[in-house]
């Protein structure tokens, strides 16, 4: 088990862990649905950890607590079970079947590709073999992402920052554009879908009356050059200028 997670092996245990974490102050649950990953001869495999019924129980418990469930889900069938269960977002989403993508469109469940972490691992591998493995996985992911964009599923933006330095994660938007999305679509995925995933819809993510006045300015036009978002020169948070 990963050191940043709590263990749960049944519906009862999942609910128990969620209640305990909620009492300790958590406002969101992320479930490791898949792993360990392998890519053999171009075929991606990742075992699922929970059935659809178990994930659905987690989603129901989260609803009772006024929150939502996200999943670490790299591929099938875990990604399908997550979509069927009605999670709020599918993180990593490297491999999505046609049926999973259909459900994600129908239920407005965004995929969060997290290219930044895959690119980081490919560039900072400890050995030549690891570099080859990470690069192959990134390339597989890019090819699948192009199919996902063509299928018209919703996306949100997340980088899995932590292993690489905080403050550099805006590179995720650059990578999403490089691998097939239009800059405007990436900004909408980040701001509008991001607000929905966080449960802040109607409060952040858009410039509208009644919303928090959270504004950034960048030198240049991100619709023409998305890397402009990596050079933030002005920040207003809740109507207060914090960087100028
Ligand atoms: Zn994850």
């Amino acid at each position: 088990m990963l050191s940043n997670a709590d263990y749960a092996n049944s519906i009862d245990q999942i609910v128990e862990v969620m209640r305990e974490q909620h009492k300790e102050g958590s406002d969101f649950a992320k479930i490791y649905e898949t792993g360990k990953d392998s890519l053999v001869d171009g075929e991606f495999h990742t075992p699922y950890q929970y059935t659809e019924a178990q994930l659905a129980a987690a989603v129901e418990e989260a609803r009772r607590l006024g929150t939502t469930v996200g999943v670490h889900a790299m591929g099938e069938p875990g990604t399908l079970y997550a979509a069927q269960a009605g999670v709020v977002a599918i993180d990593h989403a490297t491999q999505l079947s046609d049926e999973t993508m259909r459900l994600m469109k129908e239920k407005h469940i965004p995929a969060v590709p997290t290219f930044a972490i895959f690119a980081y691992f490919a560039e900072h591998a400890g050995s030549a073999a690891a570099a080859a493995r990470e690069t192959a996985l990134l390339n597989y992911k890019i090819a699948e992402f192009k199919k996902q964009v063509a299928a018209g599923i919703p996306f949100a933006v997340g980088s899995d920052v932590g292993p690489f330095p905080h403050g550099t994660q805006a590179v995720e938007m650059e990578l999403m554009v490089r691998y097939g999305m239009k800059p405007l679509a990436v900004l909408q995925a980040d701001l509008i879908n991001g607000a929905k995933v966080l449960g802040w819809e109607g409060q952040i993510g858009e410039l509208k009356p009644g919303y928090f006045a959270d504004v950034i300015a960048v030198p240049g036009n991100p619709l023409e050059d998305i890397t402009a978002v990596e050079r933030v020169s002005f920040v207003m948070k809740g109507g207060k200028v914090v960087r100028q």
Side-chain angles (χ1 to χ4, degrees), residues 24-47:
E24 288 170 359
S26 80
D27 50 16
F28 181 78
K30 182 179 178 182
I31 292 178
Y32 282 102
E33 168 62 355
T34 68
K36 183 176 181 192
D37 311 318
S38 63
L39 186 63
V40 180
D41 298 332
E43 286 218 32
F44 181 77
H45 298 280
T46 187

Side-chain angles (χ1 to χ4, degrees), residues 81-220:
Y81 297 159
Q84 288 171 332
V87 299
V88 74
I90 297 181
D91 286 0
H92 314 305
T94 296
Q95 177 195 56
L96 303 173
S97 71
D98 289 345
E99 173 62 6
T100 303
M101 290 195 284
R102 188 190 68 73
L103 284 171
M104 290 169 76
K105 279 170 78 171
E106 185 185 292
K107 299 184 178 190
H108 305 289
I109 300 171
V112 184
T114 65
F115 281 115
I117 190 69
F118 288 85
Y120 177 82
F121 284 146
E123 286 159 15
H124 294 81
S127 65
R133 201 168 55 237
E134 297 294 341
T135 302
L137 183 57
L138 175 61
N139 288 336
Y140 176 88
K141 188 171 175 59
I142 292 166
E144 292 298 303
F145 177 69
K146 288 180 193 299
K147 290 184 213 164
Q148 297 167 11
V149 172
I153 65 164
F155 289 95
V157 178
S159 61
D160 227 19
V161 68
F164 61 98
H166 281 272
T168 65
Q169 62 266 44
V171 71
E172 181 67 22
M173 295 198 241
E174 179 185 344
L175 297 176
M176 288 171 81
V177 170
R178 184 185 303 166
Y179 300 138
M181 274 175 83
K182 296 264 187 294
L184 178 61
V186 170
L187 292 172
Q188 290 169 331
D190 184 51
L191 298 164
I192 299 171
N193 288 345
K196 284 183 197 163
V197 169
L198 294 171
W200 285 75
E201 193 178 7
Q203 297 176 84
I204 62 169
E206 297 176 71
L207 293 176
K208 281 186 181 173
Y211 282 56
F212 283 95
D214 293 346
V215 185
I216 64 161
V218 298

